[in-house]
Amino acid sequence: MDSVQVETTAPLTLEFPQIALPPTAISPNSRIPKDTIRTSLKASTADSVLASVYSLGTGGILLSNLLVELGASPVVFGMLCSIPMLVNLIQPLGAYLSERSTSRFQYSLRTHGIGRLLWLILVIGIASANWGVVDAHQLVILTLLIVLFSNLLGGLGTASWLSWVAMIVPRRLRGRYFGLRSSAASLTNLVCVPIAGLVVSHWYGGSLQGYGVVLLVSVVFGIMGLGCQYFQVDMNPRSQNTYYGKLTQTSEIQSEVAKDESSEVLQSIHPPQNQLANSVWKNSNFLIFLLYFSFWTLAVNLSSPFFNLYMLDTLDLDVSYVTIYNSLQAGATLLMLILWGKLADKIGNRPILICIGILVGVTPFLWLGISINRLDIWLWLPLLHILAGGTWAAIDLCSNNIQLAIAPIKNQSIYFAIAAAVAGVSGALGTTIGSFIVQFAQSGGLLTLFVLSGVFRLVALVPLMFLQEPQRS
């Protein structure tokens, strides 16, 4: 796992004004000054930068390399990749709990804060392994447990965070802001991933100890990122759910006036479960999006977790090479995100998802025939990662934007949670199927997996033909 520029009269920077008191949760009908919105978006951008440092240590290529170094099997590798998706099943519960809180900020601290601190246990485990207290098998189990519980807590808070950001960012500028925010994160990855890879690969105490150092630094930056959320204007979920209809955002957040009858207000804060379920089932556009999102996630995760395994294990490349490739991918993402964001604001997200989705669909076929020779290592693999960075920048950005547009304001986080849960199950299923194909295939398991994934990706684009993107205002 796992962003948003508002039209302002002055350029955005990452400098924060001094705030003497903690943020106070507001209701959606409160008028928020432009300066407060600017500060919130600066804080969110800074959060994305620091969270990127946290993510590079707690996932991706470095965590995959740890399992390879510990001799983990492809099934364990598949479990590592499927757990973050499978725990999305808990997102509806997290959304339910968050809607009964009175502060998005406090709820984020209780979920993401504890989840990020759990990784300190793995730091202790790595130190114990260096002292001979635990063996490689025990460290693999500990790693999987930390991934499980950390992502469970993150799953409880993801829908609430997304709803929080959606209320802050003007609808007509979401493409540009999310593009800017994601570009800042990609720039961080571009700079930090190769540095982290070199630290792990060349640490004087060995790669295991080097990863422990990188992980510790990542957790510290992750906690600092949560501190940036202090500067975002807080939202009261209970108040958000008392308003119906379309929320128009220009330079400030506005909402409809709440109904006077206390019984109606109480009902909107605590809607009957059957009423919420009916509203979801009657939203045909949302159901079509769920169909696309679930099949697309399954198709992608048949192969995507195993590209790093293919390079580290089958091709036996050094981790420093793979981190350089990942940096090139981050660089391509950085260059393309703002372009995709502006284009999405002009022509919409659905056309981009269809056109770029075709490119992403044929990408696994381009991995066929990759071997250990100078041409592939120095030309073909870098080009593949650059292509992936540019195309996935569009897919991630536009999928996020179209989800924000489709979900209604009332009980918004519930819709986000349902989408994440469905995609999580299908993604975990795809990874599990992929891991067993790789584990038990007689020969060419990974290459067979790449072909299947490419075919399924192209088929998964069909529901997009029937999706209607809401008008941007």
Side-chain angles (χ1 to χ4, degrees):
M1 105 188 187
D2 299 51
S3 312
V4 245
Q5 181 168 47
V6 170
E7 188 174 342
T8 60
T9 55
L12 293 178
T13 64
L14 297 182
E15 299 175 0
F16 302 112
Q18 294 295 323
I19 297 180
L21 297 175
T24 302
I26 67 167
S27 61
N29 66 328
S30 301
R31 299 173 66 89
I32 304 178
K34 288 183 180 181
D35 289 343
T36 303
I37 295 179
R38 292 192 189 107
T39 301
S40 298
L41 299 185
K42 295 172 189 176
S44 182
T45 304
D47 177 26
S48 72
V49 170
L50 296 172
S52 295
V53 180
Y54 164 77
S55 297
L56 73 87
T58 58
I61 180 60
L62 296 182
L63 191 58
S64 299
N65 183 70
L66 172 67
L67 289 185
V68 172
E69 290 286 335
L70 296 175
S73 67
V75 172
V76 173
F77 196 90
M79 290 176 62
L80 175 73
C81 300
S82 63
I83 285 174
M85 293 176 286
L86 190 59
V87 297
N88 283 327
L89 278 171
I90 206 172
Q91 283 209 29
L93 174 61
Y96 176 85
L97 296 175
S98 71
E99 295 306 304
R100 277 145 184 78
S101 68
T102 57
S103 168
R104 296 287 188 197
F105 174 68
Q106 295 295 332
Y107 187 80
S108 179
L109 286 182
R110 290 194 296 268
T111 54
H112 291 105
I114 298 174
R116 294 183 180 185
L117 287 174
L118 285 179
W119 285 94
L120 294 177
I121 299 176
L122 184 57
V123 175
I124 297 174
I126 292 174
S128 300
N130 277 282
W131 297 329
V133 178
V134 298
D135 58 25
H137 178 68
Q138 292 171 329
L139 194 57
V140 168
I141 295 175
L142 178 62
T143 301
L144 292 178
L145 288 174
I146 297 299
V147 171
L148 173 62
F149 289 105
S150 175
N151 281 278
L152 277 173
L153 287 165
L156 288 173
T158 298
S160 176
W161 176 87
L162 188 57
S163 182
W164 184 10
V165 175
M167 293 298 294
I168 296 175
V169 183
R171 179 184 294 269
R172 63 188 178 89
L173 295 177
R174 281 175 181 166
R176 274 175 278 180
Y177 177 73
F178 277 117
L180 175 65
R181 189 180 190 274
S182 298
S183 293
S186 298
L187 178 60
T188 305
N189 285 327
L190 178 64
V191 174
C192 295
V193 168
I195 295 176
L198 289 173
V199 170
V200 172
S201 182
H202 297 89
W203 188 261
Y204 68 91
S207 60
L208 182 62
Q209 191 179 110
Y211 174 73
V213 173
V214 171
L215 179 60
L216 178 61
V217 174
S218 298
V219 173
V220 172
F221 275 83
I223 299 303
M224 291 170 59
L226 289 178
C228 292
Q229 295 181 7
Y230 173 94
F231 298 93
Q232 294 178 204
V233 59
D234 203 356
M235 291 288 171
N236 186 336
R238 288 178 177 266
S239 299
Q240 177 179 339
N241 289 334
T242 62
Y243 301 98
Y244 291 83
K246 183 180 179 183
L247 182 69
T248 302
Q249 290 178 313
T250 53
S251 60
E252 57 194 24
I253 297 178
Q254 300 172 336
S255 68
E256 295 180 1
V257 178
K259 298 185 183 223
D260 293 331
E261 294 84 352
S262 59
S263 61
E264 293 180 349
V265 172
L266 182 61
Q267 183 180 10
S268 65
I269 296 177
H270 303 284
Q273 295 304 313
N274 60 343
Q275 179 183 337
L276 178 58
N278 289 336
S279 67
V280 173
W281 283 109
K282 290 180 180 178
N283 193 333
S284 60
N285 216 29
F286 180 70
L287 295 179
I288 293 174
F289 174 77
L290 281 185
L291 182 64
Y292 153 73
F293 204 37
S294 58
F295 277 101
W296 175 259
T297 308
L298 186 148
V300 166
N301 285 282
L302 273 175
S303 61
S304 62
F306 300 99
F307 290 124
N308 285 335
L309 178 64
Y310 185 67
M311 291 184 289
L312 292 170
D313 189 27
T314 304
L315 299 182
D316 197 26
L317 294 177
D318 187 85
V319 66
S320 59
Y321 282 95
V322 183
T323 54
I324 291 174
Y325 298 152
N326 280 263
S327 296
L328 292 174
Q329 183 170 331
T333 301
L334 170 66
L335 293 175
M336 296 300 296
L337 267 172
I338 296 179
L339 171 64
W340 292 130
K342 292 180 178 179
L343 189 61
D345 288 336
K346 289 182 179 180
I347 68 173
N349 298 281
R350 190 177 73 99
I352 297 176
L353 284 176
I354 294 174
C355 296
I356 303 303
I358 295 174
L359 277 177
V360 175
V362 301
T363 299
F365 297 110
L366 301 179
W367 282 78
L368 305 179
I370 293 289
S371 60
I372 305 178
N373 58 65
R374 290 183 178 274
L375 181 64
D376 288 346
I377 291 176
W378 295 107
L379 179 63
W380 196 240
L381 282 173
L383 288 177
L384 281 177
H385 282 81
I386 291 172
L387 174 64
T391 53
W392 274 106
I395 297 296
D396 291 339
L397 179 67
C398 294
S399 295
N400 183 64
N401 288 344
I402 206 167
Q403 184 180 178
L404 292 176
I406 290 174
I409 296 300
K410 185 171 186 278
N411 295 307
Q412 193 177 53
S413 63
I414 301 292
Y415 283 80
F416 296 154
I418 292 173
V422 171
V425 172
S426 59
L429 180 62
T431 301
T432 303
I433 294 173
S435 65
F436 278 103
I437 291 176
V438 175
Q439 179 76 13
F440 299 109
Q442 298 262 338
S443 62
L446 279 171
L447 298 181
T448 301
L449 199 62
F450 295 165
V451 172
L452 287 175
S453 178
V455 173
F456 288 171
R457 290 182 189 194
L458 295 175
V459 174
L461 295 174
V462 173
L464 283 177
M465 304 295 181
F466 306 95
L467 183 68
Q468 295 181 353
E469 183 175 358
Q471 293 294 322
R472 300 172 307 282
S473 58

